[in-house]
Amino acid sequence: MTAKYPSIRRRVQASSLTLSLLLALGATPALAAETAAENAEGSAIATAAAGTVDAADQADDVSRGDIIIVTARRRQETAQEVPVAISVIRGDSIEATGNFNVVKLQQLAPTLQVYTSNPRNTSVNIRGLGVPFGLTSDGFEQGVGIYVDDVYNSRVAAATFDFLDVDQVEVLRGPQGSLYGKNTTAGAINITTNQPTFDFEGRAEVSVGNLNYRQAKAAISGPLSETIAARIAIAATSRRGTLYNVVSDRWINEQDNLGLRGQLLFKPNDDLSITLAGDYSRQDPECCGTAFVRVGRTQRAITRQYDALVAAYNAANPTQPYAVPSRNVYDRLTDIDASLNAGNKIGGVSARVKWDVGPGTFTSITAWRFWDWKPENDRDFTGLSIVSKSQNPSQQDQYSQEFRYNYEGDSVDFVVGLFGFKQRIDTQGTEQQGPDASRWSLTNAAQINANILNGLTARNIQYLKSTSAALFGQVSWKVTDALTIQPGARINYDKKSGYYQRRVFTGAGVEISCPSTDAVTAAQCGVYTPQLSAPSASDWNFSYDLNVNYKLASDVLAYATYAKSFKTVGINQNGLPTDAAGIPIAAAGTVKPESVNHYEIGLKTQFWDRRATFNLTAFRTDIKNFQVTVTNGQFGVLRGYLANAGKVRSQGIEADFKIVASDRFTAYANGAYTDAKYKKFVDAPCPPELAGGSIPNCDISGQRLPGVSKWAFSYGAEANAPVSLLAKDGQLYFGVDGNYRSHWNSNASPSIYTDVKGYALTNFRLGFRSDGLDVFGWVRNAFDVKYIELLQVAPGNVGLIAGTPGDERTWGGTVKFSF
C-alpha cells in the first residue's frame, strides 16, 4: 500500500479483520478464519469502489490477513502498529470461552487481576496495580479505567455485570493519562459494543448447563429510515449457588443477572453521526457468603482465639454446641446466619457525536450513569450471631462530558481532549451486634456482662462529592517512514468533599457518647465509636509521557515509553482512625496523591507471511505514596481506611505468541512474569499471625503486593475439519483453552494463612458451525481442579480464615443463530 492514499489504506485496514490477531488473546480460531475471509472480501469491495489502490498491494494485505482494528489511542489503528502493550479480546472469543464479564476476563489476559468478595468490593488491577486490596472506599480513584463505548464507569461494580452485545475488549497496560478522559495509572479496559447497522441483522444465543445454568442473549439491528438505525440487545444469566448454607437450607452465591441495551444512530450524511444509547442491568442474587478454610494462631491470649472461643461457647451452651459444618472448604458448606443480598442496579444514558471537520474528527461524549447497591452481609463469617446485621446501601450518580478532536496528517497526527466529571455517592449504613458478640469482643465485654453488646447498633450516613476536569492530548510526529515520536501531556484538577456521621445506640435504643468512664459504655465504645468527620481535598496535577517507536522492518516495530503519572488525592470517607484517647485523627482525613514513574520497552513482530505473531514487553513502574487500605482487624471500631505506603515497585516481562498454521489449525499462548513489591511500608497493619502482639504496626517492606501471581499464562488452540451435517456445509471443530496462575497472597499485609496456592484450569469445547449457526458443547475446569478465588481474615483477630472456592467442573451446551 503506498503512502499516496492514506485514507484508502485506513479503510482497507479497517475492513480487514486479521485472522492471526483475532487469536492473539483467545479468539475462536475457526471463527476467526471465517471472519477474516468475510472481511477480506469486504476489503476488496471497498478497494474496488475507491478505484485507486494498487491491486498487488491490496492482494498482499488480504493474503496475509493480519489486521484487527483497535481504538486504544482514540483513533482507528491496527493492533500491531500501536506502540502500546495491549490485549485485544474479540466478542466471539468471550462467548466461546464462557468469560462473560470482566471478573472472568483474567483467564484470557494474564496481567489482569480481578478479585471480588461482592460487586462493591471488587478490585481490578493490571500488573498488580490499580486499587488497594481489601475493603473498597469511595474516597479514592480507580487505577484501571473501565470504558464502555467511550463512557467512563467510575465504579468497579460495573465490571461484575454480564458483557452485553460486546464487539471487542481492549486491555491497555500502563498509565493512560494523555488519551483518556479520566486519568488512570495502571491501565484501561476499553469495551466496544456492537453498533446499529443500516443492514438488517440479528443474533440469538442460548446456553444451558449443570448447576441449573441458564443464559440467553439476543440482539437485533436495522434501519428505521435512510438516516436512522437502531439496535437493541438483551442478556439474562442465572445459575445455582456454589456454597450450600446449612442454616438457610439454600445454595448461596448464585447468579441472577439481567441486562438491556438500546442504541439509536442518526447519520444524516457521511460526515456526521449521532448515537444515543441507554442501558440497564440488575443483579438480585443471594450473595455473597464465605466458607470456613482454616484457623491460624495469633499473638493473642489462647483464650481469645477461635478454637478456644468456640469451646467456651459450647461449655456455656451444652445443649446447642457450635461446630462448623465442615473444615474442608471444598465440601462447599457454610453456616452463616445473617441475611445475604447483593442487590445491584446500574445503568445510564449517553449521547456520542462524531463530526468530520476538515482534516480531523470532532467527538463529543455526554453521559449520565447511576449505581444502586443494596447489600446484606454476614460480617463475622460464622454461624454464631456475633454481627447480626451488616448493611451499607449506597446510591451513585455520575455525569461526564468529553470533547475530543483527532487530526490525521501526512507527518503529524494529534489528539486533544477536554474532560469533565461530577459524582455524588450517598450511603446509609447499619451494623448491629448479636447475642454472641460479647464473648468474641476484644474489649472484655463478657467479663462485665454477657449481654452488653447484644443489639448494640451503629448507624451512619455519609456522602461524597467529587469533581474533576482535565485537558489532555498527544502528538504523533512521523519523523521518517520508520521513526515516530509521540509526546503527550495532561493537566488535571480534582476536588473531593465528604461527610461521615456515625451514631451508636444500645440494644435498648439509648444513644451513647464516647469516650466514657462507665465500664459498660466503655466496652461498647470499644466496638462502635460515634464519629463525625467532613474531610475535603483538592489538587492540581501535571503529567506527561513520551513514546518513541521505530519500524526495524515492515513487520517489526520496536518502542520505548516513559510516563510521569499520578493518582489523584483521596479522602477517608468511611470514618477516621482515632488516637489513644479515642479522638479522630483529622490529619488522616486526606491521602496524598500517588506519584508514578513508568518505563516500558516493547517489540511487536509478525513473520511466516504474517501467519505468526510474537510480541514482547518489559516494564517497570515505581510509585511513591502508594494508596493502600489498612484495617485493625476489629469488628466495628473502624472497618478500614486509606493511607499511604512509602514506595511500591512493579516490574516484569510479558509475551504473546500466536500462529495460524493453516485454515484448519490455530493456536496462541500468552505469558507474564510480574514482580510487584512494597519497597517501603514501615507502618502497615500486621498480618493475623502477629495480631495481638506487642507491636501495633509492622514493617512489610520487601513483601509482595497482594493479589499478584509472579507467573501467569493463558493458552488455546483449535482444529477444524470441513463436514456436511443435516444438509448444511460447515466445520466440525475442537478447541481447548486454559490458564495458569502461580500462588498469590489474599491479605493486604501478606500472611502465611492467606497464601493462595497456584492452579491451572483447562476448558474444552466441541461443535459444528456453518452459515448462521453454531452449536457446541463445553466443559470448563474440565479436570475439576480445586482452587480458591479469595481468602479473607475474619474480623476480630481470632485467627479465623474464610474463603470462596472457585467453580467446580461445569459443563453444558450453546446454540447460536445469526442472520
Side-chain angles (χ1 to χ4, degrees):
M1 189 76 63
T2 65
K4 185 177 179 180
Y5 307 106
S7 62
I8 296 173
R9 182 175 187 269
R10 282 192 296 271
R11 268 178 284 175
V12 173
Q13 290 175 337
S15 61
S16 303
L17 293 174
T18 76
L19 187 147
S20 62
L21 279 180
L22 275 169
L23 300 162
L25 285 141
T28 309
L31 184 59
E34 182 178 299
T35 306
E38 291 173 355
N39 287 310
E41 179 182 356
S43 175
I45 292 172
T47 302
T52 54
V53 179
D54 182 81
D57 288 337
Q58 185 269 332
D60 181 61
D61 276 357
V62 172
S63 67
R64 293 188 293 181
D66 179 28
I67 296 169
I68 184 169
I69 301 303
V70 297
T71 57
R73 296 195 299 169
R74 299 313 196 191
R75 53 184 179 266
Q76 287 193 337
E77 300 174 285
T78 65
Q80 285 298 103
E81 290 181 343
V82 177
V84 174
I86 179 174
S87 304
V88 184
I89 306 166
R90 296 286 297 171
D92 294 330
S93 172
I94 293 169
E95 294 170 356
T97 56
N99 299 291
F100 54 85
N101 59 28
V102 171
V103 177
K104 300 292 185 181
L105 203 62
Q106 61 182 325
Q107 296 184 13
L108 298 177
T111 51
L112 183 67
Q113 299 100 27
V114 186
Y115 304 106
T116 177
S117 58
N118 61 49
R120 174 181 167 82
N121 290 321
T122 299
S123 60
V124 178
N125 288 352
I126 293 175
R127 296 168 172 171
L129 307 174
V131 295
F133 196 87
L135 291 170
T136 299
S137 170
D138 295 326
F140 67 86
E141 302 287 342
Q142 308 297 319
V144 177
I146 298 176
Y147 295 83
V148 180
D149 290 339
D150 285 349
V151 175
Y152 174 70
N153 287 255
S154 65
R155 298 305 307 175
V156 178
T160 64
F161 284 102
D162 294 355
F163 286 137
L164 185 58
D165 200 23
V166 166
D167 176 48
Q168 72 180 26
V169 178
E170 303 163 12
V171 180
L172 288 81
R173 308 191 287 273
Q176 305 296 324
S178 60
L179 286 171
Y180 281 73
K182 193 68 175 176
N183 182 66
T184 53
T185 56
I189 299 175
N190 190 30
I191 301 170
T192 304
T193 67
N194 291 308
Q195 298 299 296
T197 60
F198 284 95
D199 294 320
F200 186 65
E201 64 179 37
R203 53 170 298 183
E205 174 184 331
V206 177
S207 298
V208 297
N210 65 331
L211 306 185
N212 294 328
Y213 174 72
R214 303 287 186 273
Q215 186 176 73
K217 299 179 180 180
I220 191 167
S221 180
L224 300 181
S225 71
E226 291 184 355
T227 58
I228 299 176
R231 187 179 190 95
I232 188 167
I234 184 171
T237 304
S238 65
R239 192 181 76 170
R240 193 205 75 189
T242 54
L243 288 179
Y244 184 74
N245 190 349
V246 300
V247 173
S248 64
D249 195 28
R250 290 173 57 89
W251 288 94
I252 63 172
N253 295 4
E254 60 190 3
Q255 294 175 6
D256 184 5
N257 305 346
L258 174 67
L260 299 166
R261 184 176 185 86
Q263 297 182 80
L264 196 64
L265 170 64
F266 174 55
K267 193 173 178 63
N269 54 59
D270 290 341
D271 295 331
L272 177 65
S273 67
I274 301 172
T275 304
L276 304 178
D279 66 279
Y280 171 82
S281 297
R282 69 129 181 92
Q283 292 177 330
D284 191 24
E286 187 173 354
C287 187
C288 300
T290 58
F292 177 97
V293 176
R294 65 175 66 98
V295 173
R297 181 66 63 86
T298 74
Q299 298 297 306
R300 299 193 181 280
I302 194 66
T303 56
R304 305 304 304 160
Q305 301 193 42
Y306 177 83
D307 288 330
L309 288 167
V310 170
Y313 173 89
N314 291 342
N317 299 272
T319 60
Q320 292 182 317
Y322 174 73
V324 295
S326 174
R327 289 204 165 208
N328 181 357
V329 68
Y330 299 113
D331 287 340
R332 300 180 182 274
L333 298 175
T334 187
D335 64 346
I336 53 180
D337 61 326
S339 298
L340 287 184
N341 189 22
N344 204 13
K345 297 178 182 178
I346 196 165
V349 294
S350 65
R352 184 174 63 221
V353 179
K354 298 186 73 173
W355 183 22
D356 289 341
V357 184
T361 301
F362 170 79
T363 304
S364 169
I365 305 107
T366 307
W368 164 73
R369 298 201 61 76
F370 73 89
W371 176 50
D372 290 340
W373 170 231
K374 295 182 179 180
E376 296 180 77
N377 301 300
D378 190 325
R379 197 165 167 254
D380 58 52
F381 300 171
T382 74
L384 298 173
S385 186
I386 303 168
V387 179
S388 60
K389 183 183 291 186
S390 180
Q391 303 170 4
N392 282 275
S394 64
Q395 307 82 41
Q396 174 199 278
D397 282 286
Q398 72 165 66
Y399 303 86
S400 60
Q401 174 64 59
E402 182 173 348
F403 297 112
R404 195 169 63 236
Y405 183 75
N406 296 54
Y407 170 85
E408 296 185 51
D410 293 334
S411 60
V412 174
D413 300 340
F414 68 81
V415 179
V416 62
L418 185 65
F419 179 76
F421 176 82
K422 187 173 184 178
Q423 174 188 45
R424 174 161 179 144
I425 304 175
D426 290 277
T427 302
Q428 312 82 36
T430 302
E431 191 162 303
Q432 187 175 80
Q433 299 284 289
D436 301 318
S438 295
R439 187 177 307 280
W440 286 62
S441 169
L442 302 180
T443 63
N444 296 319
Q447 297 179 17
I448 303 169
N449 185 319
N451 294 311
I452 64 172
L453 297 185
N454 188 16
L456 185 70
T457 303
R459 297 191 180 98
N460 65 277
I461 57 172
Q462 62 191 83
Y463 67 77
L464 170 73
K465 297 178 181 178
S466 178
T467 303
S468 64
L471 175 65
F472 60 92
Q474 186 183 87
V475 176
S476 180
W477 176 32
K478 304 176 185 67
V479 182
T480 68
D481 289 342
L483 176 64
T484 302
I485 299 175
Q486 296 175 176
R490 179 186 187 90
I491 300 174
N492 204 93
Y493 173 75
D494 288 278
K495 180 180 181 180
K496 294 183 174 68
S497 60
Y499 176 83
Y500 177 85
Q501 182 185 39
R502 179 168 57 198
R503 301 171 67 189
V504 182
F505 301 85
T506 67
V510 178
E511 186 170 5
I512 68 172
S513 59
C514 302
S516 175
T517 57
D518 175 71
V520 171
T521 306
Q524 294 170 336
C525 289
V527 177
Y528 294 137
T529 305
Q531 190 175 120
L532 179 67
S533 62
S536 63
S538 62
D539 197 22
W540 286 90
N541 296 96
F542 174 71
S543 58
Y544 53 91
D545 54 62
L546 177 65
N547 176 281
V548 178
N549 57 87
Y550 187 81
K551 281 196 171 185
L552 302 175
S554 61
D555 289 331
V556 180
L557 177 69
Y559 65 90
T561 299
Y562 168 73
K564 176 65 175 178
S565 188
F566 70 96
K567 184 192 285 188
T568 188
V569 64
I571 63 173
N572 269 307
Q573 182 58 23
N574 299 330
L576 302 179
T578 58
D579 59 21
I583 306 301
I585 302 173
T590 60
V591 184
K592 296 177 183 177
E594 291 183 358
S595 177
V596 181
N597 285 286
H598 175 77
Y599 313 86
E600 187 165 326
I601 57 173
L603 191 68
K604 292 192 170 186
T605 70
Q606 301 173 92
F607 51 95
W608 195 19
D609 206 21
R610 290 191 176 176
R611 293 182 178 275
T613 305
F614 178 73
N615 297 336
L616 188 66
T617 305
F619 68 91
R620 174 170 174 144
T621 305
D622 294 302
I623 301 179
K624 182 180 179 182
N625 293 323
F626 184 70
Q627 295 174 358
V628 296
T629 300
V630 299
T631 62
N632 58 9
Q634 298 186 31
F635 277 106
V637 177
L638 191 64
R639 297 188 65 184
Y641 63 96
L642 291 174
N644 292 106
K647 294 180 181 179
V648 159
R649 183 212 65 206
S650 178
Q651 61 185 11
I653 298 176
E654 303 157 349
D656 304 297
F657 174 75
K658 53 272 180 188
I659 187 170
V660 183
S662 70
D663 291 343
R664 302 300 172 204
F665 180 78
T666 53
Y668 70 90
N670 309 318
Y673 169 80
T674 306
D675 177 23
K677 291 182 178 180
Y678 294 110
K679 292 294 290 181
K680 184 180 181 181
F681 195 5
V682 298
D683 55 353
C686 291
E689 56 266 34
L690 297 178
S694 59
I695 304 174
N697 296 307
C698 290
D699 184 349
I700 62 172
S701 303
Q703 297 285 325
R704 287 168 55 187
L705 289 180
V708 188
S709 298
K710 273 196 173 183
W711 296 97
F713 302 97
S714 63
Y715 65 90
E718 186 177 291
N720 70 78
V723 297
S724 181
L725 185 64
L726 300 177
K728 291 181 72 72
D729 293 331
Q731 297 175 343
L732 181 68
Y733 64 91
F734 174 77
V736 58
D737 62 88
N739 69 291
Y740 165 79
R741 290 184 181 272
S742 63
H743 75 101
W744 54 278
N745 211 281
S746 187
N747 194 51
S749 295
S751 166
I752 58 175
Y753 302 136
T754 56
D755 189 70
V756 178
K757 295 181 180 179
Y759 58 87
L761 304 178
T762 306
N763 314 310
F764 297 107
R765 60 188 179 273
L766 175 67
F768 169 80
R769 68 167 66 95
S770 67
D771 263 347
L773 175 66
D774 190 0
V775 182
F776 62 96
W778 43 263
V779 181
R780 295 167 190 148
N781 189 9
F783 301 113
D784 202 18
V785 173
K786 293 178 171 57
Y787 68 102
I788 293 291
E789 287 189 343
L790 190 72
L791 292 177
Q792 299 181 70
V793 179
N797 283 325
V798 297
L800 172 61
I801 307 297
T804 308
D807 286 354
E808 58 191 286
R809 180 193 295 121
T810 58
W811 49 266
T814 298
V815 180
K816 298 165 63 175
F817 300 94
S818 62
F819 58 87

